[in-house]
Amino acid sequence: MTLSINDLQVLQHHRLSSETVPLQDGTSLTLQQIVRVVPHRRLVCSAVWQGQAVFAKFFFGKRAAYYAARDLAGVKALQAGHIATPAILANTMSVEAESAVLLFEAIVDSENAEALYMQGNAKQRLTLMKLVVETLAQHHRAGILQTDLYLKNFLVKVKDNCQHIYSIDGDGIRQYARISSAQAAHNLAVLCSKMDVLEAEEWLPALFAHYQVLNPLPITSAQLLKQSNLYRIQTAAAYADRKVFRQCTDVNVYVDSGQYSAIASTFAALPLPDSIKAYDTVIATSQRLKEGNTCTVALATFADTEVVIKRYNIKNVLHRISRLLRPTRAAASWANAHRLQLLGIATPRPIALIEQRTLGLRGKAYFLSEYVEAPDVAEYFASTTDKAMRAACIKAIVQLCYRLYLLNISHGDMKYSNIKVVDGLPMLIDLDSMQQHKYAYFAQKAHVRDLRRLMQNWQDDASLYNAFVKVFKVVYADHTPLNLAAILIRKNSQ
């Protein structure tokens, strides 16, 4: 495997001149792929060392030795607790960058649990989560807490038709003489918060019962569910409202005179315009999807990638003054696209946020996202005669609404044109009015407005309207928002 030009540039930023990295122990590494980057602090790569597949962790900065030692101590704690983890092969330094380097055994033909969870069907996902919960219970019985608890920190390898779990990332591991019930419950709730919210509602009682066999806790599954929902909402808010606006693994941020740019790392190689003026030129010469006083939407192509550019215009001086200090609508779209992605809700992938800034004050703003060629939901229903496909789509839309309800998220404009249908499943677009509410009372009021707006789409089609009503009754465990939206009182004869 050859490193990409972008990967080579990342290496150079970290004072590594090529994919061949000489080490102070006299050996060398051949890097194959960059797996994770925390700029100027951490670099994780797949590599070959002495003919063996390995993962190399580079630690940079003044506290590199401290973080390398902490990671090493975490792995040794896992080993002492008889918890499967990749073997440590070397603890050394790179010659060029003078960075600390840890080399770990590569678990061949393995995949991280997050990727498997995303790929699997419901039965496979539940089986996987039982194994991960079982592994976490083993952690707790051994006095170990994983403080950076993500599904990515568990590797899964199939051997002899069985799945085997490996715990990785020693940096987040903390060893205690004994784990308290409160610590264990908190850790378990954090793990469950990484699941899809609907699946957590359905499966958490069974997962909790599975955990209790190995490490009993004095709480109920209902308490655990409430706690995990709270962590899910808090994590999404921290990520979408703060993290994606600064330099991080997922986003590259550039600030220069008059312009702020945040570009998704996935699209780092895309040849995007480099100035506000250039963006305006692209919009002027591209296909217009929408033209309005406050918003212009164009479809452009960069290196064979179709991109939707949404420019939020300034109407007049008063409008400019009113927008100077507030977050832009483009920023709201950027945050909400990342929020939905993190929560497993379909939306076009966010590419970039560009803001015009003068002395820190905001002007025009641009939100770029991947273009998705798909019909809106009204077009889908109009063109689909297969009853099973229509029923499946209705159920998926209602489940989408219920997910948003459980997550305290309101869309703000649930007209049919803001719901695309991709492979029979709904995808939300136009996210600049979306909010994640801090308080359940306001979240419910906003959700009721969303439901009313959604059902207005079918008010002239009694058959479709009533089909939605039937599914709402089944999917929503709590009928309160349905009653407040007056969905359940419409007569079937209408």
Side-chain angles (χ1 to χ4, degrees):
M1 185 180 296
T2 303
L3 288 173
S4 68
I5 293 175
N6 187 55
D7 281 350
L8 289 172
Q9 289 174 340
V10 171
L11 293 182
Q12 290 169 4
H13 284 312
H14 293 83
R15 294 189 294 158
L16 299 171
S17 60
S18 71
E19 62 248 36
T20 301
V21 181
L23 303 175
Q24 285 190 353
D25 62 6
T27 63
S28 64
L29 271 175
T30 301
L31 306 183
Q32 294 187 312
Q33 185 177 11
I34 294 178
V35 176
R36 187 179 179 221
V37 182
V38 180
H40 308 296
R41 288 182 55 194
R42 195 90 36 91
L43 196 61
V44 182
C45 303
S46 60
V48 174
W49 178 71
Q50 297 186 325
Q52 180 177 355
V54 300
F55 276 90
K57 275 191 176 183
F58 294 82
F59 300 82
F60 304 93
K62 294 180 179 178
R63 305 193 73 194
Y66 167 79
Y67 287 115
R70 190 169 75 175
D71 201 305
L72 193 62
V75 174
K76 289 181 177 179
L78 289 171
Q79 293 172 336
H82 305 289
I83 293 166
T85 188
I88 304 163
L89 302 178
N91 175 14
T92 183
M93 300 276 291
S94 70
V95 173
E96 291 178 312
E98 297 182 353
S99 60
V101 183
L102 295 179
L103 301 183
F104 295 91
E105 165 197 16
I107 307 301
V108 181
D109 297 326
S110 66
E111 183 62 272
N112 73 66
E114 181 179 281
L116 288 178
Y117 183 86
M118 298 300 293
Q119 297 163 9
N121 58 35
K123 182 178 179 180
Q124 292 167 335
R125 287 151 78 109
L126 178 56
T127 299
L128 173 64
M129 288 308 302
K130 284 183 177 179
L131 284 172
V132 176
V133 163
E134 183 178 319
T135 302
L136 193 69
Q138 292 170 355
H139 281 205
H140 296 163
R141 286 174 62 88
I144 289 171
L145 277 184
Q146 170 55 273
T147 61
D148 190 25
L149 196 52
Y150 290 91
L151 290 177
K152 284 182 180 179
N153 285 336
F154 299 93
L155 290 182
V156 184
K157 181 179 175 68
V158 177
K159 185 178 179 181
D160 300 327
N161 294 320
C162 294
Q163 289 182 321
H164 298 268
I165 302 286
Y166 293 80
S167 299
I168 62 173
D169 192 12
D171 183 66
I173 296 295
R174 302 292 181 269
Q175 176 76 62
Y176 298 89
R178 177 182 172 275
I179 299 295
S180 70
S181 294
Q183 286 175 308
H186 173 272
N187 212 220
L188 179 59
V190 170
L191 174 67
C192 292
S193 74
K194 309 305 178 185
M195 298 167 58
D196 173 80
V197 66
L198 287 188
E199 291 179 345
E201 285 258 316
E202 181 181 355
W203 297 342
L204 195 139
L207 293 175
F208 183 57
H210 191 64
Y211 178 95
Q212 289 285 75
V213 172
L214 297 169
N215 192 49
L217 295 177
I219 62 170
T220 66
S221 63
Q223 290 172 319
L224 183 66
L225 178 61
K226 183 177 180 180
Q227 200 172 4
S228 69
N229 283 342
L230 176 62
Y231 295 150
R232 184 182 291 107
I233 291 170
Q234 289 176 341
T235 300
Y239 178 75
D241 297 331
R242 293 190 291 278
K243 189 172 182 179
V244 298
F245 290 91
R246 57 177 172 81
Q247 183 72 38
C248 63
T249 303
D250 297 334
V251 178
N252 298 314
V253 171
Y254 310 92
V255 181
D256 55 29
S257 140
Q259 185 171 321
Y260 164 92
S261 303
I263 300 172
S265 299
T266 309
F267 295 95
L270 212 58
L272 298 176
D274 58 5
S275 68
I276 296 291
K277 184 177 180 180
Y279 274 102
D280 288 339
T281 300
V282 169
I283 290 173
T285 56
S286 299
Q287 177 187 347
R288 298 293 178 89
L289 302 180
K290 180 180 178 181
E291 186 75 75
N293 288 333
T294 60
C295 183
T296 302
V297 184
L299 177 60
T301 302
F302 302 105
D304 298 325
T305 299
E306 290 188 299
V307 176
V308 175
I309 305 177
K310 196 169 187 178
R311 181 180 66 199
Y312 294 87
N313 305 315
I314 300 297
K315 293 188 296 184
N316 51 48
V317 174
L318 289 177
H319 186 218
R320 177 179 292 278
I321 293 171
S322 73
R323 299 300 316 185
L324 285 177
L325 297 175
R326 289 185 292 160
T328 63
R329 291 169 65 197
S333 294
W334 172 254
N336 286 322
H338 283 284
R339 192 188 321 277
L340 294 187
Q341 280 202 314
L342 183 69
L343 294 168
I345 297 173
T347 194
R349 289 190 295 173
I351 294 175
L353 165 66
I354 312 296
E355 292 182 339
Q356 186 180 51
R357 293 188 180 181
T358 305
L359 300 176
L361 302 177
R362 298 168 178 85
K364 287 190 296 186
Y366 307 73
F367 171 60
L368 281 65
S369 62
E370 191 174 34
Y371 176 70
V372 176
E373 179 61 48
D376 66 42
V377 67
E379 293 169 337
Y380 179 82
F381 285 135
S383 63
T384 304
T385 56
D386 186 294
K387 291 183 179 179
M389 290 175 64
R390 286 168 64 89
C393 186
I394 290 170
K395 182 178 180 180
I397 292 170
V398 173
Q399 287 178 327
L400 166 63
C401 291
Y402 194 46
R403 278 188 176 89
L404 296 176
Y405 175 61
L406 293 174
L407 294 164
N408 285 358
I409 294 174
S410 62
H411 181 272
D413 190 7
M414 290 289 278
K415 60 187 179 185
Y416 63 81
S417 59
N418 287 335
I419 307 172
K420 286 181 173 285
V421 180
V422 181
D423 297 329
L425 298 174
M427 171 181 279
L428 283 177
I429 64 172
D430 199 7
L431 310 180
D432 51 24
S433 295
M434 177 174 282
Q435 293 184 63
Q436 183 172 21
H437 301 270
K438 186 175 181 180
Y439 300 105
Y441 171 78
F442 296 109
Q444 180 167 272
K445 288 189 69 173
H447 185 68
V448 168
R449 289 193 296 271
D450 274 354
L451 292 181
R452 287 173 178 161
R453 183 64 189 89
L454 176 70
M455 297 305 282
Q456 284 177 15
N457 294 314
W458 334 120
Q459 61 185 356
D460 295 326
D461 187 335
S463 175
L464 191 55
Y465 188 103
N466 289 324
F468 268 93
V469 170
K470 289 178 182 178
V471 179
F472 269 116
K473 288 180 179 178
V474 174
V475 170
Y476 274 58
D478 177 8
H479 283 190
T480 302
L482 305 182
N483 290 322
L484 292 172
I487 287 177
L488 302 184
I489 64 172
R490 175 163 170 154
K491 296 180 181 178
N492 290 340
S493 61
Q494 284 186 279

